[in-house]
Amino acid sequence: QQQQQQQQEPEQQQLQQKQQKQPPAAGGDAAAPAGLRSGGAVSCTVFVRGLPLDVTSQELQARFERFGPVKACRVVMDKATGKPKGTAFIEFRGPAGAAAAAEACARARTGKGPDVTVKGVKLGVDLALTQDDARRLGQEQGGVPGAGQHAGQSNKGGKFDRRNLYLAKEGFIEEGSAQWEAMSENDRRKRKRAAEEKNQKLKSPNFAVSTLRLAIRNIPASWDEAKLKAAFIAGVKARATKEQPVVKQAKILRDPERPDAAGHAGGKSRGFGFVEFADASHALAALRQLNNNPTAFGSRDRRPIVEFAVDNIKVLKARDDKLAKQKARQQQKAQQQQQQQ
């Protein structure tokens, strides 16, 4: 047994080095929870991202038993909302199981193996971090929280993230990856251009990443707002069948100088638009389900390019102030009418 453990240790070190080259799970989220923080327990534990919101611990444990005997499975819940965060920790009975699960995901990322999935949804699986490693990683990433955290939430030892920069990388697809190679050349160009525009905006402190509003490219020319809204609601339900997502607004940008074939008064669709959810977890679920999905828009060459919208803080504040004043006037008018009656 000692010889077997000595053989596994170099393999785990190599795997950890390989995973450091991949986009890592953010430190604050990937740190093992209380009860799993000893070195031995952490080496047997993996951190899982991208889970369907309705998955149970039992379903997750049964799925990961293929990699080795599972000792415990903990689906992470959001303390503020009481809802699942889409992440979990799975502790195996030995380090070999954790290494096998993480390695399977690492191979899938490079296109050398099948995706690790549960209920048809692709997952991200990495070896869990100790608290010290998580704190150090958070500092290296500039204190950017992991996906699933709320606006302004901070990592331990990191900075306060008032601009929600932790969401800026959601939807990002690394060049050279299997997903990148499967895209059309046109989609690759659009993604590069979108990334450049976003990075340029975020250099200014006047811009922040929205937690509720998604920006979408490649919207089919024949679609209207109702169809766009329905597609994104369906995207959430594909990951969380029991959820009832609410879309506050769906908007497609149009060119008023070019007539629309379907006769839309606003003009021809620009193929770009926004969908705003009432719940941040639903926005995240829709993004992860629809982004680069080859079937969502009915064309493998024009796949959805979905990311969290980058908003001008000053413009949003002016809009909110305007809406607040309108609401106050309406309430005042209603009170006056009641008094007159």
Side-chain angles (χ1 to χ4, degrees):
Q1 185 177 4
Q2 184 177 3
Q3 182 179 4
Q4 184 180 6
Q5 185 175 357
Q6 289 174 345
Q7 291 174 344
Q8 289 173 348
E9 288 177 355
E11 294 177 0
Q12 290 182 50
Q13 291 173 357
Q14 292 174 0
L15 180 60
Q16 287 174 326
Q17 291 172 356
K18 184 191 301 182
Q19 289 176 323
Q20 287 172 357
K21 298 177 182 178
Q22 302 289 337
D29 274 5
L36 297 177
R37 292 177 183 173
S38 64
V42 171
S43 69
C44 299
T45 304
V46 293
F47 175 69
V48 185
R49 293 173 292 161
L51 290 169
L53 299 181
D54 59 350
V55 72
T56 65
S57 297
Q58 293 79 7
E59 290 171 330
L60 199 54
Q61 179 169 338
R63 187 70 182 89
F64 275 77
E65 288 280 358
R66 59 183 288 198
F67 300 112
V70 173
K71 180 179 179 181
C73 178
R74 177 193 166 195
V75 174
V76 181
M77 306 297 289
D78 190 312
K79 293 181 181 179
T81 64
K83 295 182 179 181
K85 293 179 69 174
T87 61
F89 289 94
I90 299 175
E91 183 185 6
F92 291 86
R93 295 194 177 276
E103 184 177 8
C105 186
R107 288 178 60 81
R109 284 171 177 156
T110 58
K112 297 179 180 179
D115 291 325
V116 180
T117 64
V118 64
K119 301 179 77 170
V121 176
K122 184 173 67 174
L123 308 177
V125 184
D126 296 278
L127 292 174
L129 304 175
T130 64
Q131 288 293 311
D132 289 341
D133 287 341
R135 190 175 297 110
R136 186 160 51 249
L137 179 59
Q139 290 171 343
E140 290 172 359
Q141 294 179 337
V144 177
Q149 290 176 281
H150 294 295
Q153 191 170 345
S154 63
N155 280 330
K156 295 179 180 179
K159 300 177 182 178
F160 204 66
D161 184 24
R162 296 181 184 276
R163 298 168 61 205
N164 310 318
L165 297 179
Y166 69 97
L167 292 173
K169 284 292 185 181
E170 280 290 338
F172 172 77
I173 296 177
E174 188 175 3
E175 290 189 42
S177 67
Q179 286 184 305
W180 181 266
E181 296 300 329
M183 287 181 211
S184 66
E185 186 60 36
N186 190 41
D187 276 6
R188 293 176 194 169
R189 285 196 298 268
K190 286 184 180 180
R191 284 186 176 273
K192 286 183 178 180
R193 187 163 60 249
E196 290 171 359
E197 292 174 359
K198 177 168 60 179
N199 291 337
Q200 186 63 35
K201 286 183 179 179
L202 292 178
K203 288 180 180 179
S204 168
N206 293 326
F207 287 87
V209 182
S210 174
T211 60
L212 299 171
R213 204 161 71 107
L214 300 174
I216 307 105
R217 291 172 172 81
N218 278 346
I219 299 172
S222 61
W223 280 29
D224 57 13
E225 279 77 1
K227 194 162 186 177
L228 180 64
K229 176 181 177 179
F232 274 74
I233 289 176
V236 176
K237 291 186 174 182
R239 279 183 170 257
T241 54
K242 297 180 181 179
E243 292 292 304
Q244 296 297 324
V246 175
V247 170
K248 296 172 65 176
Q249 183 187 45
K251 182 178 180 63
I252 296 174
L253 301 189
R254 298 181 178 275
D255 186 348
E257 297 182 358
R258 301 175 65 187
D260 179 55
H264 195 283
K268 187 175 181 179
S269 169
R270 297 180 187 270
F272 179 74
F274 299 93
V275 172
E276 183 176 358
F277 283 90
D279 188 300
S281 65
H282 294 158
L284 182 62
L287 184 155
R288 290 179 171 175
Q289 178 65 24
L290 297 175
N291 182 51
N292 200 41
N293 187 321
T295 62
F297 285 174
S299 172
R300 299 186 67 88
D301 292 332
R302 288 175 56 86
R303 304 180 184 188
I305 300 175
V306 188
E307 60 186 359
F308 282 98
V310 177
D311 294 327
N312 188 312
I313 298 172
K314 291 183 177 180
V315 172
L316 288 181
K317 187 177 185 307
R319 185 192 70 175
D320 291 342
D321 290 344
K322 182 179 179 181
L323 291 175
K325 290 179 181 178
Q326 289 178 347
K327 185 176 181 180
R329 285 197 296 267
Q330 290 173 353
Q331 290 176 342
Q332 185 179 9
K333 185 177 180 180
Q335 290 175 353
Q336 291 174 348
Q337 290 176 345
Q338 288 178 351
Q339 291 173 354
Q340 291 173 356
Q341 292 175 355

